[in-house]
Amino acid sequence: MFTFETTDQKEVRRFRIAQFNGRTATVRSGGSTVTGHVRSVLESKSSIPQRWTITIVPSVPKVKVDALRPAPRVRAFVEDFY
């Protein structure tokens, strides 16, 4: 799990929406990028300015799949036009 703190309300709203809809969210922190599902968004009520602790469960990166079929062969019918 990846946990970090933020004071940005727009960022917190984005993570809450991702958590509610079951979508993945991406965080860039300290030069690294983490993509995963938001597990929790907790507000620290004792801090000024407001601060939230966000926990993300990283997901396995998707492997790029090769094309399922070869590219169309347009050149095979070129001689029909001449």
Side-chain angles (χ1 to χ4, degrees):
M1 279 195 246
F2 180 73
T3 303
F4 72 101
E5 292 184 349
T6 185
T7 57
D8 187 8
Q9 288 182 332
K10 289 182 181 180
E11 192 174 35
V12 171
R13 184 171 189 273
R14 183 173 64 92
F15 287 123
R16 283 187 175 154
I17 291 170
Q19 181 183 18
F20 180 76
N21 292 326
R23 297 182 183 150
T24 58
T26 302
V27 179
R28 291 180 189 91
S29 177
S32 63
T33 302
V34 176
T35 301
H37 291 283
V38 179
R39 182 174 181 140
S40 67
V41 178
L42 299 172
E43 181 180 358
S44 176
K45 296 189 185 248
S46 63
S47 67
I48 297 177
Q50 288 180 318
R51 183 175 42 181
W52 291 270
T53 303
I54 300 169
T55 304
I56 295 180
V57 178
S59 57
V60 179
K62 293 183 180 180
V63 178
K64 188 173 181 180
V65 179
D66 293 333
L68 298 176
R69 56 184 164 178
R73 298 185 180 207
V74 179
R75 297 184 58 83
F77 302 104
V78 169
E79 53 273 351
D80 291 344
F81 295 114
Y82 295 107

